[in-house]
Amino acid sequence: MVGPLSSEERTAATLRLKIGFVVLVGASAGLITLPSSPTWIEFGVAFLAGSALGVLLVWLVFPGTGDIAGDARRRP
């Protein structure tokens, strides 16, 4: 039987999920430019802009997950 996740495991899993989400949005933005035959610079700019958007989306989708002290106060 599998037990509950520890606080450290939960934090690590949340961080991996956030990083994966940012990379996914950034890669999607970069791939959108491919049909127009972009230069490497244009592709990189699109990837970086998409990654910035991904960071904003992570901030909106996962509210309050960066506040470790807030999580500790909520638990008994």
Side-chain angles (χ1 to χ4, degrees), residues 3-42:
L5 292 175
S6 69
S7 178
E8 294 83 22
E9 291 172 334
R10 186 178 312 230
T11 303
T14 303
L15 179 63
R16 285 193 306 265
L17 182 66
K18 289 178 181 181
I19 291 171
F21 192 78
V22 169
V23 169
L24 179 69
V25 173
S28 175
L31 289 173
I32 287 172
T33 64
L34 290 181
S36 64
S37 301
T39 64
W40 282 104
I41 293 174
E42 292 167 340

Side-chain angles (χ1 to χ4, degrees), residues 15 17-27 29 46-66:
L15 179 63
L17 182 66
K18 289 178 181 181
I19 291 171
F21 192 78
V22 169
V23 169
L24 179 69
V25 173
F47 180 81
L48 290 176
S51 296
L53 178 63
V55 169
L56 177 65
L57 288 173
V58 163
W59 182 70
L60 292 172
V61 171
F62 301 105
T65 57

